[in-house]
Amino acid sequence: MDKQGRARDYSSAYLRRTYREAGKVKNETVANLSVLPEHVIDLIDAGLKGTALVPAAEAVTITRSVPHGHVAAVHAMARKLGLPALLGPAGPQRDLALALVVSRVVAPASKLSTLAWWDDTTLGTDLDVAEASTGDIYAAMDWLDARQDVIEAQLAARHLAPEVNPSRMALFDLSSSWLEGRCCPLAARGYSRDGMKGKLQIEYGLLTDPEGRPVAVRVFDGSTADPAAFTAIVTVVREKFALEKMVMVGDRGMITSARIAALNQPEDDGTRPSPYGWITALRAPAIKKLMADDGPLQLSLLDEQDLAEITSPDFPGERLIACRNPVLAEERARKREDLLQATEKALAPLTARVRAGKLAGAGKIGVAVGKVINKYKTGKHFDVAITDGSLTITRRQAQIDAEAALDGIYVIRTPVPEDQLDAAGVVTAYKNLRHVERDFRSIKADDLDLRPVFHRLEERVKAHVLICMLAAYLTWHLRQAWAPLTFTDENQPRQDNPVTPARRSAHAQAKASRQHDQAGRPYRSFRGLLEHLATLTRNQVRFAGATATMPMLAEPTSAQRQAFDLIGIPIPLTLK
């Protein structure tokens, strides 16, 4: 007790020596250690008991540290989706094919770069592909290409069968990417959706379910037109997937009148019409015809509402749903006026040169004017009068006004009966093509970097595109699972009016505004989250006095833990 009556604990530490003298055991206090810090006393105690003490920096050696979290997360999602079994029977080629798909999600690159990258992550050792050669990779690609029909048939059964897809609807669209080189049989010149003029390219069509999950992909030569691609995918759905009574959704350039006529051909036995429906849109000339001469499409129908269902004898047995999007109308009017003004501004110096006599001759004047008109593609809106010494340019205001009357108006056509799909449902189904466009952005640029294509052999090009499609399937599910950690809209509001533009939820707007969640963690992009997961490393640790090493994971961050929780698995030490 101290003077105030409070209990006090006293402890002392002594270094004592025990010895024998004349047959008796005696003790001697060598030193009083009480003044030393407690951890120093513990070290002296451990050393006297025979423990070998080493400096803290030498107690543990990390012999190697490699990124693990990103490949572990993507591989875990692949296993959850049953992707290994989907690819085919177990074996070295399946492991290589799976590694190529996972790598395309995590770090898209050329096959040679991917081969070198495998040794820098746990993917290479855990899937036993680190020692693979380029020949092994190409053999695995050929193996995967041969299994494409089987893989896609299983995906179609998962996502397009009536039990899981009661609307029996599928979306299809076509895109293109350029190739490096000129020896591939599929390489051809065509309309480049990438804006790569002068480059040989391939075309590839993507089939998805109504929510945009990739199900199948088909590669065509670079000059293939949209309608031909649509015919090919319908054949696949009918014959290879054995799906009946489907409703195929495609854009106005794909499902043409000729394709519709082919789609409506009787079955092989000739006893009943084709059960396939379709949803597409009319081209501008057909819409103008519907509006001409007091036709069925009058703008007054859209004064009080954004959509109206009409019929026309030119489209027997079809429903026509006319829609007007005022936001789109305003944007098209703005762009048209901007282009017209830019054209007039560019032509003004030419007119001044002609007046000053610095530019003469109808031919020379015409060439100069043509360069400007072709640049902005506004020739249809101007009357151009050229002589050897004069240039007069005036707007075709009546034509401009006629085109402006169609701004924001589109007409969707379908034979699907109203008791199966109402007018709003038809509009929603057509606008769902935005899901395929999002998939193309993911495949080509945002996530998977499909382009450009470097392969020369046709089967390798097809295998490369198939790998990207399977990676897009993985990415689709990862984006859904990781929405709470990213800027992805988790609960997009339901649209009462399908014609109006889609809106972000209040929660998504708050994400974009705050940039951090309630725990103070930053929201990340999908690619940014993968990069953060890569900082979760697996380390080979060797303790002092030992020769063997043991694998240990770095301490994960809370975001890394949640990323695996959202997938529904604990963080694995190894991929297998």
Side-chain angles (χ1 to χ4, degrees):
M1 292 286 185
D2 61 11
K3 294 181 179 180
Q4 286 74 34
R6 293 173 298 188
R8 296 187 64 179
D9 295 328
Y10 296 91
S11 62
S12 299
Y14 297 96
L15 177 61
R16 305 188 73 182
R17 180 171 70 92
T18 301
Y19 62 97
R20 286 180 178 273
E21 185 177 288
K24 294 182 179 181
V25 177
K26 294 186 177 183
N27 297 305
E28 178 186 5
T29 299
V30 177
N32 184 349
L33 306 179
S34 303
V35 296
L36 296 177
E38 186 175 348
H39 71 278
V40 176
I41 296 172
D42 291 339
L43 288 173
I44 295 173
D45 180 56
L48 292 173
K49 291 179 178 178
T51 302
L53 302 179
V54 296
E58 300 176 12
V60 175
T61 302
I62 298 176
T63 61
R64 195 175 184 209
S65 179
V66 292
H68 174 70
H70 52 349
V71 294
V74 176
H75 183 265
M77 178 58 83
R79 293 188 64 177
K80 183 176 180 179
L81 295 173
L83 189 58
L86 189 74
L87 295 179
Q93 289 181 323
R94 189 182 82 173
D95 288 341
L96 279 167
L98 179 60
L100 288 171
V101 174
V102 172
S103 301
R104 181 58 54 172
V105 177
V106 177
S110 69
K111 304 301 181 297
L112 294 179
S113 295
T114 298
L115 183 62
W117 177 79
W118 281 344
D119 196 42
D120 293 332
T121 71
T122 57
L123 182 68
T125 55
D126 288 3
L127 293 188
D128 196 25
V129 297
E131 302 299 323
S133 65
T134 54
D136 294 331
I137 286 183
Y138 291 141
M141 292 178 68
D142 295 341
W143 175 84
L144 187 65
D145 175 62
R147 291 192 52 79
Q148 179 170 0
D149 288 344
V150 176
I151 294 169
E152 292 177 343
Q154 294 180 70
L155 288 175
R158 284 186 187 183
H159 303 296
L160 297 181
E163 300 79 17
V164 293
N165 182 23
S167 64
R168 297 175 182 266
M169 196 171 292
L171 314 177
F172 183 72
D173 204 356
L174 193 70
S175 191
S176 62
S177 288
W178 76 95
L179 294 94
E180 295 295 342
R182 53 185 178 82
C183 298
C184 178
L186 294 170
R189 300 191 184 276
Y191 172 66
S192 174
R193 294 162 177 83
D194 298 327
M196 297 295 291
K197 295 181 179 180
K199 287 281 190 179
L200 298 176
Q201 66 176 27
I202 58 168
E203 303 269 357
Y204 46 95
L206 186 65
L207 182 75
T208 78
D209 73 353
E211 294 182 337
R213 289 184 189 86
V215 171
V217 69
R218 282 297 179 273
V219 181
F220 309 97
D221 73 69
S223 61
T224 303
D226 289 15
F230 177 74
T231 300
I233 201 64
V234 169
T235 302
V236 170
V237 175
R238 268 181 172 156
E239 298 179 2
K240 296 187 182 297
F241 301 164
L243 294 172
E244 297 182 352
K245 300 181 180 179
M246 293 294 294
V247 177
M248 304 295 294
V249 184
D251 66 26
R252 67 195 71 197
M254 182 169 295
I255 307 181
T256 62
S257 296
R259 296 306 102 192
I260 290 171
L263 197 64
N264 289 333
Q265 288 295 317
E267 295 291 341
D268 293 339
D269 57 11
T271 59
R272 60 188 176 92
S274 167
Y276 272 47
W278 42 266
I279 297 174
T280 189
L282 294 179
R283 292 177 177 269
I287 297 176
K288 289 181 181 179
K289 187 175 180 180
L290 289 174
M291 298 177 67
D293 302 326
D294 295 324
L297 177 56
Q298 299 298 312
L299 294 180
S300 58
L301 292 172
L302 303 173
D303 287 343
E304 302 295 331
Q305 54 189 355
D306 292 332
L307 64 86
E309 187 164 342
I310 61 177
T311 58
S312 169
D314 293 336
F315 302 95
E318 297 182 23
R319 300 164 59 201
L320 304 178
I321 295 91
C323 308
R324 185 177 189 276
N325 185 335
V327 176
L328 180 61
E330 182 179 345
E331 177 63 15
R332 286 186 174 173
R334 182 195 64 78
K335 289 180 67 175
R336 182 188 304 107
E337 183 60 27
D338 286 349
L339 289 172
L340 292 174
Q341 290 184 14
T343 304
E344 290 170 336
K345 182 178 180 180
L347 289 172
L350 292 180
T351 304
R353 290 174 60 197
V354 172
R355 288 175 181 172
K358 296 180 179 179
L359 179 62
K364 292 182 178 180
I365 296 173
V367 170
V369 171
K371 290 180 179 179
V372 176
I373 294 291
N374 292 334
K375 177 180 179 180
Y376 295 105
K377 296 181 174 58
T378 53
K380 63 181 178 180
H381 294 317
F382 288 98
D383 281 320
V384 182
I386 301 175
T387 67
D388 286 339
S390 66
L391 171 61
T392 305
I393 301 171
T394 56
R395 290 192 182 188
R396 295 177 179 174
Q397 196 59 48
Q399 180 169 323
I400 293 171
D401 293 341
E403 183 178 278
L406 296 176
D407 285 348
I409 293 178
Y410 55 95
V411 179
I412 301 173
R413 59 187 295 201
T414 182
V416 178
E418 186 174 7
D419 59 359
Q420 182 177 338
L421 197 64
D422 62 15
V426 172
V427 176
T428 299
Y430 183 74
K431 293 184 71 173
N432 278 345
L433 284 172
R434 70 184 187 276
H435 297 324
V436 191
E437 294 171 358
R438 177 204 60 204
D439 289 339
F440 277 135
R441 289 194 301 272
S442 174
I443 289 173
K444 296 168 69 170
D446 292 351
D447 299 319
L448 308 176
D449 204 17
L450 178 147
R451 60 190 184 182
V453 181
F454 293 94
H455 298 286
R456 295 182 296 106
L457 301 181
E458 181 174 340
E459 60 270 20
R460 302 277 167 76
V461 172
K462 291 181 177 180
H464 171 70
V465 176
L466 177 59
I467 288 169
C468 290
M469 188 276 284
L470 293 171
Y473 182 77
L474 255 180
T475 301
W476 190 97
H477 288 88
L478 284 168
R479 283 184 175 274
Q480 297 296 314
W482 287 342
L485 293 173
T486 65
F487 291 102
T488 301
D489 197 343
E490 301 171 52
N491 300 293
Q492 189 168 348
R494 182 182 179 276
Q495 287 184 261
D496 296 327
N497 183 354
V499 179
T500 58
R503 296 178 294 109
R504 301 176 72 185
S505 70
H507 182 57
Q509 292 175 353
K511 279 185 179 182
S513 175
R514 294 196 306 263
Q515 301 288 314
H516 293 76
D517 63 16
Q518 294 180 348
R521 300 175 305 190
Y523 290 111
R524 293 178 167 87
S525 65
F526 176 75
R527 183 59 52 191
L529 181 56
L530 283 173
E531 291 172 354
H532 178 64
L533 284 166
T535 65
L536 175 59
T537 58
R538 189 172 75 196
N539 312 298
Q540 289 300 124
V541 179
R542 182 175 63 236
F543 292 95
T547 57
T549 63
M550 62 179 296
M552 295 180 64
L553 293 181
E555 184 67 22
T557 66
S558 61
Q560 290 167 344
R561 289 189 186 278
Q562 188 177 358
F564 282 89
D565 289 342
L566 291 170
I567 296 176
I569 66 162
I571 300 176
L573 181 61
T574 60
L575 302 190
K576 281 190 175 181

